Amino acid sequence: MFDTTYDVIVVGAGHAGCEAAAAAANLGSKTLLVTMNLQTTGQMSCNPAMGGIAKGQIVREIDALGGYSGIVTDKTAIQYKMLNQSKGPAMWSPRAQSDRSLFSLEWRTMLEQTNNLDFYQEMIMDLIINQDQVIGVVTSLGLKIYAKTVVLTNGTFLNGLIHIGEKNFGGGRAGEKAAVGLTASLERLGFESGRMKTGTPPRVDGRSLDYSKMKEQPGDSEPSKFSFSDLTTPLQKQLSCHITHTNLEVHDILRSGFDRSPMFNGAIQSTGPRYCPSIEDKIDRFSDKSQHQIFVEPEGWNTVEVYVNGFSTSLPDDIQYKALKSVVGFENVKFFRPGYAIEYDYFPPTQLFHSLETKQVQNLFFAGQINGTTGYEEAAAQGLMAGVNAHLKAAEKTPFVLGREDAYIGVLIDDLILKGTEEPYRMFTSRAEYRTLLRQDNADERLTPKAHALGLLGDDRLEKVEQKQTKREALVGFLRKTSYDLNTANIVLERKKSDTVTQTDKLSKLLSRPMITRKDLDEFDSLSIYLQEEGVDDVIFEQAEIEIKYAGYIEKEKRNADKLKRLENIIIPRDFNFDKLASLSHEAKEKLNKIRPDTIAQASRISGINPSDISVLLVSMGR
C-alpha cells in the first residue's frame, strides 16, 4: 500500500480526522487515515455528548453536507434534548448524550465501510516537503508515505503534557502517549506555534451515587434526531441525567489544594477555555457564588461509569476526592479516574486560508484543536471542510468555502482565519450575525444542494430536501390565503388569554401571534384536512410557523447578507502588494500582509482594519 501515492493523507482519527477522511474518500480521493491508536477512533475524550448551544447547529450542518457526525450521534444516543426552546427558533439547539463506547465503535464501523479509505496505526513525526509543497509524511519507524495533500488533525496530542496536582507527565489523553516531533518539524518550516490548555473532570462509579438527592433531567418527551437522512430514527427510550450543586464546604476543600494546583503555582501558563473553566477557576473567579451546578451524565447504556460535568479540575487527586465527597449525592463516591488538565501545542489559524490550507506550505491542511478550537463539533466541522478541500486541491479544482451567511461552519472558519484566537475558541449563537437564517431546522435546505453539487450526497438526499421545501412553501401559501372561522378563533384566543378578534382574517395572521402554536390550529377543520391530504409532518409545519412568525427578521437578515455578498465578490489577488497603498495605515498593512484576505468583505472583518482602509482598498480594486 505504501508504494502508492495517496490523494489525501489524514493524520489523527479524532472528530476532525474522521470527518476529513470520510469526506475525502467519499468524494473519490484515495485516502489514508493514520493514527497512533485505531482503537480510539472517534473517541469522546471529554464529555459524552454532541451538540448544545450553536454546536447542535454545527452537527446538523455537518450532516446536511454529507458528514457522519449526526448519523453516529443518532445511532449511539442515550438522551436527546432541544435546548433554548423558551427562546426564539434562532436559539434552539439540539444536544444528545451518547454512549461513549458505542460512539467510537460506530465511527470505526462507518469508516471501515467507506470506499477509497485505508488505515494505518503509527505516529507521524515529520513531513516530506519539496519546494514549499508537502508531498508526504514520515512515521516514527522512518516509513515514508507519499500523498498529493496532507491534513493534520492532531487534537491535544502535540507535545501533550498532563497535569494532576504537582504531578505531570507526557500524554495526549489519559492512558495515551503524546505526539512528538511534528511541532518542531512545522516550526522549522516557519510556522508559529503556541500552547493551550484544556481539562476534564473525574469519572466516577454511578453505583456509589445517591440520585434521590439530585434533580432528575430527563430527555425530551418527543425526541427528534440530528441527521436529516433516513438512516436513523428518534430514540424510543432514554437515560436521565441529574443535577446537583457544589457548596461552601466543597469550595473550602478545593481552596486548600490551591498551593499544589498547577493552575496557581505556575506549572500551567497556557490559556484555557474561557467558557468551560475548571472548578478551581470558577470558585477563584466567582468567589461570591455559594454554589455551582454539577451535571451528572451517564457514559452509556451498559456501564456504571459517570461523567461529572462542571467539575473539571487539575487539583491533586486527594483534594478532588475529598471535595467531591462533600457534594450532595456524592457522599459515598468512588472514583474510576481523577480529573486532569492537559497542555498542548496549537498553530494560530491566521496562518491558514479559508480552505484551511496553510499559507506557508502548499497542499497542507490543518483542522481541529491544532487551530486553537475546543469541542468535538467545531473540530468535526473543520475536518469535513479540510477533507473536502484536500480532495479538491488534489484534483486541481477550486476550493469549497462557506460564507458567514451560509452556515455556522462559515462563521467558525472565518473567525479563526481573520481574527485568530489566543484562547480555545468555542462557537456560540451570538457569534453569528445571521443566526435567524442559520437555524438548526433549515441546515438541509441551506447546505444539501451544495453537498450534492460537490458529489458528497446523492440524488435521494437532494430530492428529500426539495420535497420538504415544496411542501413548506405550499403550506405557507395555504395559511396566507385561507381564512379562519371567527368563533373558533375567539375560543382559541380566549383560552390563550389573548385579545379576541371582531372579524375574520387569514390563518397566518393568527399563527403570527407569539402564543399561538400548531396545536392551537388543530381545531380549524380546513387546516386539519389540508395537513392530512398533503402529508405535512410536524417538521415541515414548524418551519412554516417560523417563516410566518419571524418573516420580518428573516427578510432583514437576507438583505444584510446580500449586502455582504457584494463585498465578498470583490476579490483581492493573492499576490496583491498592500505596501504600495500609501493611504493605508501601518497597522492595516501589517494585518493585511499577515492574513492575506481573499475578498474585501474578509478584509473588513480583520481586527484593526477600519472603514477608511476598506475605502482605500475599494478604490485600488477599481470600485
Side-chain angles (χ1 to χ4, degrees):
M1 63 190 275
F2 304 123
D3 293 334
T4 306
T5 296
Y6 284 92
D7 295 311
V8 181
I9 290 176
V10 178
V11 179
H15 298 262
C18 287
E19 288 287 5
N26 283 327
L27 285 169
S29 279
K30 184 65 178 172
T31 306
L32 176 67
L33 179 59
V34 188
T35 184
M36 293 195 295
N37 185 359
L38 283 166
Q39 304 308 313
T40 55
T41 299
Q43 176 89 312
M44 290 179 137
S45 305
C46 200
N47 62 318
M50 288 289 283
I53 307 303
K55 293 168 175 279
Q57 283 88 328
I58 289 176
V59 177
R60 299 212 94 190
E61 289 176 352
I62 291 169
D63 183 78
L65 286 167
Y68 288 175
S69 288
I71 295 170
V72 172
T73 302
D74 286 345
K75 288 186 173 182
T76 62
I78 61 176
Q79 188 194 89
Y80 183 95
K81 292 191 81 165
M82 184 67 75
L83 306 181
N84 274 348
Q85 285 192 289
S86 62
K87 300 179 181 178
M91 308 292 282
W92 298 351
S93 302
R95 184 180 190 268
Q97 292 290 136
S98 292
D99 184 304
R100 184 190 298 277
S101 298
L102 288 180
F103 188 93
S104 179
L105 178 62
E106 185 63 30
W107 252 120
R108 172 94 179 247
T109 301
M110 290 192 71
L111 290 174
E112 288 184 356
Q113 294 172 351
T114 300
N115 294 329
N116 304 315
L117 182 56
D118 292 340
F119 302 86
Y120 189 61
Q121 179 172 295
E122 207 187 324
M123 183 191 297
I124 299 302
M125 299 280 289
D126 205 352
L127 301 175
I128 307 171
I129 305 294
N130 181 29
Q131 297 181 341
D132 294 330
Q133 291 189 14
V134 67
I135 59 170
V137 297
V138 182
T139 74
S140 56
L141 294 177
L143 182 67
K144 293 182 178 180
I145 313 174
Y146 292 90
K148 295 177 183 177
T149 61
V150 174
V151 182
L152 297 184
T153 69
N154 303 86
T156 60
F157 282 77
L158 291 177
N159 292 325
L161 185 65
I162 291 174
H163 295 267
I164 302 176
E166 295 170 299
K167 306 162 190 170
N168 60 68
F169 48 91
R173 189 162 49 204
E176 297 182 59
K177 63 183 179 180
V180 296
L182 199 51
T183 294
S185 172
L186 291 168
E187 288 175 341
R188 285 195 298 272
L189 293 169
F191 286 96
E192 173 193 348
S193 71
R195 294 284 276 177
M196 280 189 177
K197 177 204 80 101
T198 190
T200 194
R203 309 312 197 265
V204 303
D205 189 334
R207 297 170 299 181
S208 66
L209 305 182
D210 186 350
Y211 292 104
S212 67
K213 296 181 178 179
M214 307 178 198
K215 182 180 179 182
E216 185 178 6
Q217 291 285 296
D220 288 346
S221 57
E222 297 180 12
S224 184
K225 63 192 187 85
F226 276 104
S227 181
F228 293 100
S229 74
D230 295 325
L231 297 174
T232 64
T233 56
L235 284 171
Q236 297 300 306
K237 62 175 183 175
Q238 303 185 69
L239 288 179
S240 288
C241 297
H242 290 79
I243 289 181
T244 184
H245 297 84
T246 63
N247 51 55
L248 293 176
E249 181 184 354
V250 174
H251 297 180
D252 287 341
I253 295 170
L254 291 169
R255 287 191 187 95
S256 73
F258 278 11
D259 60 327
R260 293 188 286 150
S261 166
M263 287 276 295
F264 298 111
N265 65 16
I268 293 178
Q269 296 183 338
S270 50
T271 308
R274 178 189 301 264
Y275 302 104
C276 188
S278 65
I279 188 65
E280 56 264 41
D281 198 20
K282 282 191 277 193
I283 65 171
D284 182 57
R285 285 166 49 191
F286 308 109
S287 56
D288 57 318
K289 300 285 185 184
S290 60
Q291 63 177 28
H292 294 283
Q293 275 191 331
I294 301 293
F295 295 90
V296 184
E297 302 176 346
E299 295 261 349
W301 293 111
N302 300 310
T303 179
V304 296
E305 188 171 357
V306 167
Y307 180 87
V308 190
N309 195 339
F311 207 87
S312 177
T313 180
S314 59
L315 284 165
D317 49 329
D318 60 315
I319 296 293
Q320 293 185 35
Y321 180 62
K322 187 178 178 183
L324 206 50
K325 280 178 70 70
S326 294
V327 173
V328 173
F330 281 71
E331 293 84 358
N332 299 307
V333 67
K334 294 180 180 178
F335 270 31
F336 272 21
R337 57 185 166 104
Y340 62 86
I342 181 167
E343 290 185 287
Y344 56 93
D345 295 335
Y346 85 105
F347 291 81
T350 51
Q351 300 171 101
L352 305 175
F353 293 115
H354 276 71
S355 64
L356 298 180
E357 183 182 12
T358 69
K359 298 171 183 175
Q360 195 77 18
V361 176
Q362 292 184 52
N363 304 335
L364 177 63
F365 296 78
F366 290 174
Q369 284 178 284
I370 192 173
N371 290 336
T373 60
T374 181
Y376 309 144
E377 303 82 3
E378 291 89 342
Q382 293 170 71
L384 173 69
M385 297 300 288
V388 169
N389 282 314
H391 160 82
L392 293 172
K393 189 68 186 283
E396 299 181 354
K397 294 181 180 179
T398 306
F400 174 62
V401 175
L402 292 171
R404 299 180 73 89
E405 75 284 2
D406 293 321
Y408 272 92
I409 296 173
V411 175
L412 164 68
I413 294 174
D414 191 67
D415 278 355
L416 292 174
I417 275 65
L418 299 183
K419 296 183 173 71
T421 185
E422 295 179 353
E423 62 184 45
Y425 178 102
R426 178 180 178 180
M427 178 53 71
F428 286 102
T429 50
S430 58
R431 296 192 191 274
E433 55 270 55
Y434 306 117
R435 55 184 173 271
T436 308
L437 300 180
L438 308 183
R439 305 185 310 275
Q440 53 84 30
D441 63 275
N442 69 359
D444 55 342
E445 290 187 23
R446 290 185 279 117
L447 300 175
T448 294
K450 298 179 187 291
H452 181 265
L454 281 169
L456 269 174
L457 287 174
D459 294 342
D460 57 331
R461 284 288 293 269
L462 182 63
E463 288 168 7
K464 185 179 173 72
V465 171
E466 289 174 341
Q467 289 170 5
K468 173 185 169 186
Q469 194 168 357
T470 299
K471 285 188 176 182
R472 190 200 72 245
E473 290 170 354
L475 175 58
V476 170
F478 176 84
L479 292 167
R480 285 179 172 161
K481 71 182 182 185
T482 304
S483 299
Y484 54 72
D485 173 71
L486 190 62
N487 290 334
T488 306
N490 281 327
I491 290 170
V492 170
L493 291 170
E494 285 173 1
R495 185 169 64 238
K496 287 288 188 173
K497 296 183 172 56
S498 182
D499 292 341
T500 56
V501 290
T502 56
Q503 59 185 35
T504 190
D505 207 333
K506 306 305 179 190
L507 283 168
S508 58
K509 287 278 190 175
L510 201 60
L511 187 58
S512 65
R513 295 197 183 199
M515 70 292 295
I516 301 300
T517 66
R518 152 74 189 273
K519 290 182 179 179
D520 298 312
L521 298 192
D522 283 345
E523 296 186 33
F524 295 91
D525 292 339
S526 58
L527 178 60
S528 296
I529 293 169
Y530 176 87
L531 297 178
Q532 188 171 359
E533 289 180 347
E534 298 299 322
V536 176
D537 59 25
D538 289 345
V539 172
I540 293 170
F541 196 100
E542 181 182 89
Q543 282 197 298
E545 183 179 349
I546 291 168
E547 186 172 326
I548 288 170
K549 273 185 164 69
Y550 298 90
Y553 297 100
I554 291 170
E555 190 56 40
K556 181 180 179 181
E557 284 196 3
K558 281 181 178 176
R559 288 197 301 270
N560 290 340
D562 288 341
K563 290 178 185 176
L564 176 73
K565 274 187 177 177
R566 289 197 286 273
L567 288 180
E568 292 286 9
N569 290 332
I570 305 176
I571 305 299
I572 302 174
R574 282 274 169 93
D575 58 353
F576 187 81
N577 183 6
F578 296 105
D579 292 324
K580 74 177 184 180
L581 301 179
S583 299
L584 279 181
S585 67
H586 176 74
E587 182 184 4
K589 290 177 183 177
E590 184 181 299
K591 294 283 180 68
L592 292 167
N593 279 319
K594 179 181 179 182
I595 295 174
R596 306 299 308 181
D598 292 321
T599 67
I600 294 292
Q602 290 177 13
S604 71
R605 294 193 293 273
I606 298 172
S607 176
I609 304 298
N610 58 47
S612 63
D613 296 321
I614 297 302
S615 296
V616 172
L617 288 174
L618 284 169
V619 171
S620 69
M621 297 292 136
R623 299 301 177 105

